[in-house]
Amino acid sequence: MSKLLVLNGSVIPSEKSNSHEMARIFLEEYKQANPNDEIITLDLNKLIVGTKTLTTETFSTYWSDEEGMKYINQLKEIDKLLIIAPMYNFHVSGMLKNYIDHVALANQTFSYKYSTKGASIGLLDKLKVQILATQGAPKGWYPWGDHVAYLKGTWEFLGAKVSDPILLAGVKVEPLGSQTPNQIVSTISEEIKKAAKAF
Ligand SMILES: Cc1cc2nc3c(=O)[nH]c(=O)nc-3n(C[C@H](O)[C@H](O)[C@H](O)COP(=O)(O)O)c2cc1C
């Protein structure tokens, strides 16, 4: 039995959210293939780990047992991570960045200790990651903003094995722009189901 953690990095209410619709399809398929797995959800909208930004004021408590360390330990206990990641202003949500700021910690999730020539090693080497991403613009519109590359690179840096990310792009322009999340996501549901079965 594996443990799967779902991270909600969307600010859109679930019933109106494209990325949540992707996650619903993914998890339905995943549960069929892995009926005994434990699924844990973190809604970053509602948790300090998602809403607290690293500042001079918060620095001293940021990696305390109740904050960063709690979620770092959780990442060491789980087997798989599903990340719901829409683009906001050319990047992941501030909440998802806050979460990563809490868990990307030297000597806990990565280390320079055993490295040579400035490289590092990731310490989350048992973790598998699947990214479900959305963006309003078609893929490649912003050469300076690639939130999927940022996420994939970050989790690989931390040692995780990242499956091919699924990006649903162009949701704010036609032909998708005028459709419901259900209709929009149906255009890639087969890809989502395939990834869920293989995860
Ligand atoms: C505040 C805000 C900022 C956004 N910024 C961008 C952006 O910079 N680039 C882009 O392609 N889409 C942008 N979008 C569109 C969202 O990525 C898209 O609508 C996404 O599907 C919203 O999240 P959801 O998938 O949970 O529905 C933005 C949406 C909102 C609400």
Side-chain angles (χ1 to χ4, degrees):
M1 193 190 89
S2 296
K3 282 187 190 178
L4 167 66
L5 177 66
V6 183
L7 273 188
N8 174 27
S10 174
V11 305
I12 303 296
S14 195
E15 66 282 2
K16 295 183 180 156
S17 162
N18 294 308
S19 58
H20 279 227
E21 180 64 16
M22 290 170 78
R24 266 192 289 278
I25 291 174
F26 186 97
L27 287 171
E28 207 176 285
E29 197 72 20
Y30 183 86
K31 283 178 195 166
Q32 269 186 31
N34 306 277
N36 298 320
D37 279 12
E38 184 182 347
I39 298 176
I40 308 153
T41 303
L42 291 184
D43 184 355
L44 296 178
N45 291 276
K46 301 194 175 133
L47 297 169
I48 283 177
V49 70
T51 54
K52 192 166 170 181
T53 302
L54 181 61
T55 66
T56 319
E57 296 293 313
T58 63
F59 197 94
S60 62
T61 55
Y62 217 69
W63 298 279
S64 64
D65 287 347
E66 299 79 36
E67 291 190 40
M69 281 314 299
K70 177 173 166 184
Y71 295 97
I72 287 168
N73 289 333
Q74 182 178 47
L75 285 172
K76 290 176 180 172
E77 280 168 20
I78 61 161
D79 306 284
K80 300 176 189 177
L81 179 64
L82 180 67
I83 307 177
I84 297 174
M87 178 188 276
Y88 301 108
N89 296 313
F90 321 110
H91 203 45
V92 297
S93 64
M95 301 180 303
L96 198 46
K97 178 64 166 62
N98 287 337
Y99 176 88
I100 290 170
D101 281 350
H102 275 100
V103 300
L105 183 61
N107 300 321
Q108 286 295 334
T109 49
F110 68 95
S111 174
Y112 295 113
K113 208 170 165 184
Y114 308 103
S115 66
T116 53
K117 293 190 181 169
S120 61
I121 57 162
L123 300 176
L124 296 177
D125 52 358
K126 292 183 190 67
L127 190 63
K128 277 176 78 178
V129 175
Q130 175 70 59
I131 297 161
L132 299 180
T134 52
Q135 65 180 56
K139 188 172 159 50
W141 261 21
Y142 316 119
W144 68 89
D146 187 339
H147 68 316
V148 175
Y150 159 74
L151 278 177
K152 185 171 188 287
T154 300
W155 289 97
E156 284 175 348
F157 178 86
L158 299 179
K161 183 175 179 301
V162 182
S163 303
D164 285 343
I166 302 178
L167 170 64
L168 177 54
V171 302
K172 287 293 184 196
V173 297
E174 293 308 320
L176 299 179
S178 52
Q179 299 183 36
T180 64
N182 186 278
Q183 291 168 328
I184 293 172
V185 177
S186 70
T187 60
I188 56 159
S189 56
E190 287 315 308
E191 187 186 343
I192 296 171
K193 287 180 189 172
K194 201 172 153 201
K197 262 188 213 144
F199 194 45

